[in-house]
Amino acid sequence: MAREKPKQLLAIAGHIYLISPHTGAYKEYLSDDWTPTNAGVVVPSTNNLYITNSFNNLWEISLKEGTGVARKISWDNWGSCNALIAVPKPGGATYNLFAFCHKLWLIDDTTTGHCIDYLGGYTDVWARVNATARIGHKIYATTSANNLWVVDTVEKKVEKLGGGWDNWSTCGALATVNGKLYAFCHGLWLVDVLTGKSTPFFEDSDDKEGSKRSWSDVKCTSTIDTSIFAITGSRLVEVDTVEKRVREISQDNWARTKVLVAVDRDVVGDV
């Protein structure tokens, strides 16, 4: 198995910053004002960052060392899109780019922003998406209607997981590590991807602070190796999913962060 390339964190927090996941040191990557950002994702096969904003725009930023190159792709109704997610196509060499808006759109041409209604219907469901994450070719999404959905992008099938008693509306972020799904809600939950049943992540942990912490203010997450990095309130923290411990990475104020993604260090350079 090929070793994963070293990563940096990239945060959209007013401006765009690169952050060391080890020390919390950071530097400005793009000085433009990205405050209106709603959602963002990196497509690994191209190292392009895609961003939607409340001005109804879809942007593409070509990541490279020094500073990225930003290009406005589309002026359509992107302001309703709460989540973007990249999913590998069969074979895994290239990725599909999906947008959760008033419909689930497949952006089939990233040069123009052209998109197609991927599933048809479900118009009210996808406008309520709070958080998304991907395992293989399946997308998991929580909504403000207390639902956890899974979308099989190969079979084009949609399934609702869990029972009606689960309060998925409090979940601000989902994350995946080695095929496991984690939900940041009032608590931090490990979710069974087949049934939707969840168990407390810190149930058998020695980290008493982590088990008592409320995760309802988590804004966004990103995974590097077996650690989940999360913006919780104004702080950047690392959740070690092996040791089941929480470490504060930075005491700087990251409260304005809208998007947190992992990017290859050999593409964007060092902090």
Side-chain angles (χ1 to χ4, degrees):
M1 181 181 294
R3 188 172 181 178
E4 187 176 5
K5 293 180 179 180
K7 302 286 187 181
Q8 306 277 33
L9 293 169
L10 182 147
I12 303 177
H15 302 308
I16 298 181
Y17 301 90
L18 292 177
I19 309 171
S20 167
H22 306 293
T23 66
Y26 68 93
K27 69 177 182 181
E28 189 176 86
Y29 183 67
L30 272 178
S31 60
D32 303 309
D33 184 8
W34 296 94
T35 302
T37 294
N38 289 340
V41 69
V42 170
V43 175
S45 55
T46 62
N47 286 311
N48 288 335
L49 171 65
Y50 294 91
I51 296 171
T52 60
N53 64 28
S54 58
F55 294 151
N56 290 332
N57 303 138
L58 174 65
W59 286 83
E60 175 189 82
I61 299 177
S62 298
L63 300 177
K64 61 174 186 158
E65 190 167 356
T67 186
V69 178
R71 179 175 71 92
K72 190 185 295 185
I73 297 173
S74 172
W75 291 258
D76 289 326
N77 189 24
W78 298 100
S80 65
C81 304
N82 295 325
L84 294 172
I85 194 162
V87 180
K89 298 178 182 178
T94 57
Y95 283 69
N96 281 322
L97 179 59
F98 292 92
F100 285 86
C101 315
H102 62 284
K103 293 185 178 182
L104 176 55
W105 298 105
L106 169 61
I107 303 172
D108 61 343
D109 185 349
T110 55
T111 61
T112 65
H114 180 270
C115 52
I116 58 176
D117 184 355
Y118 189 66
L119 295 172
Y122 295 96
T123 53
D124 292 332
V125 172
W126 307 127
R128 301 176 183 178
V129 165
N130 295 334
T132 60
R134 174 190 64 82
I135 297 177
H137 59 270
K138 293 183 178 181
I139 304 171
Y140 295 84
T142 60
T143 73
S144 59
N146 287 343
N147 296 317
L148 172 63
W149 294 87
V150 56
V151 179
D152 187 320
T153 62
V154 173
E155 301 292 335
K156 286 193 175 183
K157 293 181 179 178
V158 181
E159 182 183 0
K160 188 187 297 184
L161 300 181
W165 58 87
D166 296 310
N167 193 4
W168 297 106
S169 65
T170 67
C171 303
L174 296 174
T176 61
V177 178
N178 293 334
K180 294 181 178 180
L181 180 64
Y182 299 82
F184 289 81
C185 314
H186 282 315
L188 175 53
W189 301 90
L190 180 60
V191 183
D192 187 312
V193 296
L194 298 178
T195 66
K197 292 183 179 180
S198 54
T199 56
F201 173 71
F202 290 103
E203 191 172 41
D204 55 353
S205 170
D206 293 330
D207 188 341
K208 303 305 181 185
E209 180 182 348
S211 62
K212 295 178 182 178
R213 181 193 294 258
S214 171
W215 296 95
S216 60
D217 60 354
V218 168
K219 302 174 182 296
C220 46
T221 64
S222 186
T223 298
I224 298 177
D225 296 325
T226 56
S227 289
I228 303 170
F229 295 85
I231 302 294
T232 173
S234 62
R235 296 292 185 253
L236 171 62
V237 301
E238 174 190 11
V239 180
D240 187 321
T241 63
V242 176
E243 299 293 332
K244 291 194 173 184
R245 292 187 179 277
V246 179
R247 179 173 73 98
E248 189 169 281
I249 301 297
S250 172
Q251 294 184 352
D252 295 292
N253 188 348
W254 294 103
R256 297 179 67 193
T257 305
K258 301 289 186 65
V259 174
L260 186 69
V261 294
V263 295
D264 290 341
R265 193 171 67 192
D266 62 355
V267 172
V268 297
D270 288 319
V271 173

